[in-house]
Amino acid sequence: MSNEVLGRVRELLPSIAERAKETELARRVPDETIRALVDTGVFRMLQPTRHGGLESDPVHFYETVRAIAAACGSTGWVTAVLGVHPWHLALFDDAAQSEVWGADPDVLVASSYAPVGTMVRVEGGYELMGAWRFSSGVDHCGWALLGGLLVDDRGDAVDTTTLLVPRSDYQIRDVWESVGLRGTGSNEIVVERAFVPDHRVMRNYEFSQLRGPGQKVNPGPLYRIPFATVFSSAIAAPVLGVVTGCYEHFLGRMRDRVRLSLGGGRFADDPFAQVAVARASSEIDAAILQMDRNVRSLMDVASEGAEIPMQMRLRARRDQVLGTERALGAIDTLFKMSGGNSLDAGNPIERGWRDAHAGGMHVANDVERALALYGRGAFGLPVEDNMI
């Protein structure tokens, strides 16, 4: 099956690349870029068809994100994050889905999943309050998925959840000042006090068990694969895209460069440079191939209606974090080989190096934690974690 959305997105890539510096300086993706991406359908790729979505192959979604991130890391990151949320929303109660998509199937949903919001039980739902950082692309969104900590009458934590909150119930604080991914507008969401009805709340335990009330109305295999794989792959994809874009820019920039020191000569004739290019390209390819293989394998099992083995889920997380690690190693090699010219602020290699490392800081790319979980499973020990 061809990736038709990618074909439409490719027409936008030159203009997205031209706006990369503008995006970084503005600390947010331009509205015109978001509108153009909405028109391509990229934000509806993982959205159910019954609500105007495309219900695409998730591998196609990650492929499209990588292409955008190769042109502009911040735009690719925002596309990945906002584009994966329709998948999660599809697991919510159908009433919540209709509330969000009923009036506008193109409405965008932000998130901040850390369970830092306090929620208490009230009649018909919960009362929520709190402040959430790092909500990428939030200025473009009409809803937000927020992490909540349920407390009892004594104030003790009893459960973690994700709550769906409309724009009218929260404020946005413009606080995003970062070293990398500066154009993502990852600002802070603040809820003073809001009522969230039961149908807009999901226990995190449910999605870790590959369950959700939305599966009753969205029975396709796309909504039977693990949240941990779908979401973490969406976080890794823009990092891989950024590094791929830097690799292509590196080749174009250095191919005809003549050194004025170290004996002179064409850079491309240097065997050390040739080895560096070979290593970097192989690391990028390995990361993409393994991640795509794992997502396809999960979809195959889900399509058969079979239970997804824990070892397969663990392998997907293992290869996702190691794929990010490989990509960061590759861009470090390219950055170093570029020499002093790579230090010029705002050039694509320098910006890509910052963006990739900023993306690598996301908790979904925590290498040691994910590898430890894989090791537990390999030794036959029980594994209980929401990010598997």
Side-chain angles (χ1 to χ4, degrees), residues 276-295:
V277 165
R279 288 189 181 279
S281 63
S282 182
E283 292 295 85
I284 295 167
D285 282 352
I288 293 172
L289 289 169
Q290 281 191 300
M291 287 178 57
D292 287 354
R293 175 202 66 174
N294 290 332
V295 174

Side-chain angles (χ1 to χ4, degrees), residues 51-73:
H51 282 296
L54 303 176
E55 216 162 309
S56 304
D57 181 341
V59 171
H60 286 172
F61 174 68
Y62 303 131
E63 178 186 29
T64 305
V65 165
R66 292 195 302 266
I68 297 169
C72 172

